[in-house]
Amino acid sequence: MESKWLDKVGGFVGGQWIAAAPGCSFDVINPATGAVLARLPRMGAAETVAAIEAAQRSLQPDEPVLERHRWLEVIHDRLLAEKEAFARIITSENGKPLKEAVVEVEYAAGFLRFFAAQMHRLESEVLPDRMRNCTWTIHHRPAGVAGLIAPWNFPLAMMGKKVAAALAAGCGIVIKPARQTPLSMIALCRMAEQVGVPAGRLNVVVGQAGPIGETLCSHPSVRIISFTGSTEIGEWLATKSAPHLKRLALELGGNAPFIVFEDANLELAAGALMANKFRVAGQTCVCANRVLVHESIASAFIALVAERVRKLRVGDGLDPASDLGPLIDRAQYEKVAAHVRDALQRGAQRAAGQDPAPLTQDWGAFFPPTVLTGVTPDMLVCREETFGPVIAIATFASEAEAITTANDTCYGLAAYAFSQSRERLDRLAAYLQFGHIGVNTGTGPAPEAPFGGFKRSGFGREGGLDGLLEFCESQVVASA
Ligand code: NAP
């Protein structure tokens, strides 16, 4: 695709751009149109080793922290100045509406600014110890080379938040973007190159996920792997890296409950649900997967939501009229369709939406926004993450039942609750086993706050000081 930030497209290793070679490449496809946006090299283990070694070589133990601070600040400013150009890249490869893509660029830039502002907290601290007649100096050293792996739903922000923290901490970086959406990170690396980030500090490998992942797990120079994606791949990485004792940060799948109590402001809850659920066409890890509504207000709430869903316009994200873009690919489309079919077969009703059209191609997977009611815990829409524009509504009779149902999942990423009783909401947060809880809001994570999951949603945190310290090793010098 045409973009001044994609004048060089390919892998990026040790400051060199590596173009696709004949017979060993893959295409990046616009999911709304099927257009080929770029052809990239199918890199594997050998290129990953080269990237890791370049990242290792770029590390300098006495590097001035102020220099890294400058990179983050300048990239932040340029990214905001170029947000329209970056948003177009995101929309072209991911499909989300352009206005959402602009918000994604701002969100990604927020991590650069936040971690730049936190870098003073990495300064060494000296603790006098009179009892032992010595001092203790505590340093926060860069962990080493960081392998970063992220999915396609926020092509810039999911990886950008890892890059910002790893760069601030002083790590060498090997980026493995999702095969569907590598262009946003390629563009960001092009910007970093122009800003003067030294060759080898940031590397991008694209192509064969298995060999790339296996190499990151086993290479001795890689000290941390930060992964966002499915629980299955998170487990695979944990297994592969265990013999090598790598540090892991795993941001995995979710199955968020969205609880609406009988005393909730229903307009507020319906508006929050729409914004929370339909971002990226429902393909976000923090979006409501199970909507639990008190039985006394269920019909009023369903009517409010169904009316709004029927008005949604689905189309190419580059068309300003589109509220929702396509699903990322055929596999995602078929999974969402199977969830809806399963729910209807088991007795759910459809309050909005219609049968999805059979796909005749791998792209253009526009799924009709759907509201299902009468949903029960045995249905796939409750047991698994649907990752699509489907609102699945179940009812409950008491607060205790709502909490039990909400926690009845192996995941623990995000949960939401709506009520006008502050006392109830304060109590609820302690009972809900989720890392991110929205009360009277459907908002997701922010740079300032540590974000991550409980249970099989993973471990480690992104954002907040915790997110920066993930990429550091504490070192103590006792001095007599
Ligand atoms: P996925 O299949 O796990 O892929 C995610 C990333 O992992 C992609 O870059 C993929 O590369 C790569 N990958 C796949 N196999 C690998 C391997 N063997 N070694 C190394 N890397 C490998 O996830 P997805 O289905 O694309 O993304 C959706 C999932 O991500 C959902 O479950 C969602 O909840 C989760 N997610 C979680 C968060 C969070 O913050 N907790 C945020 C967003 C999404 P290829 O594309 O080349 O296969």
Side-chain angles (χ1 to χ4, degrees), residues 253-257 406-407 409-415 433-436 452-458 461:
N255 184 354
N407 285 335
T409 167
C410 62
Y411 298 108
L413 195 58
Q433 299 157 359
F434 297 84
H436 173 95
F454 292 5
K455 295 156 62 178
R456 284 167 65 83
S457 291
R461 292 293 179 265

Side-chain angles (χ1 to χ4, degrees), residues 117-175:
Q118 295 302 307
M119 284 173 75
H120 70 279
R121 299 175 83 165
L122 300 183
E123 278 168 17
S124 305
E125 193 185 353
V126 182
L127 305 175
D129 183 341
R130 288 205 191 87
M131 209 162 77
R132 295 175 190 81
N133 200 22
C134 72
T135 58
W136 298 92
T137 307
I138 301 162
H139 302 284
H140 298 290
R141 304 294 190 201
V145 175
L148 311 181
I149 307 170
W152 41 262
N153 56 352
F154 292 86
L156 185 71
M158 283 298 144
M159 189 62 93
K161 57 171 83 171
K162 297 180 192 299
V163 169
L167 211 52
C171 292
I173 298 168
V174 179
I175 293 169

Side-chain angles (χ1 to χ4, degrees), residues 149-154 158-159 161 176-181 206-214 216-217 227-234 236-237 250-254 283-286 328 332 335 385 387 411 413 445 451-453 457 462:
I149 307 170
W152 41 262
N153 56 352
F154 292 86
M158 283 298 144
M159 189 62 93
K161 57 171 83 171
K176 155 69 186 84
R179 69 185 179 284
Q180 297 96 335
T181 59
V206 290
Q208 305 169 55
I212 293 170
E214 195 133 14
L216 290 173
C217 287
F227 170 78
T228 301
S230 62
T231 296
E232 293 69 29
I233 300 297
W236 185 88
L237 291 166
L250 300 177
E251 301 289 345
L252 309 179
Q283 302 168 109
T284 73
C285 55
V286 291
I328 192 72
Q332 196 57 34
K335 178 186 175 194
E385 197 181 25
F387 237 53
Y411 298 108
L413 195 58
F451 171 76
S457 291
E462 290 185 324

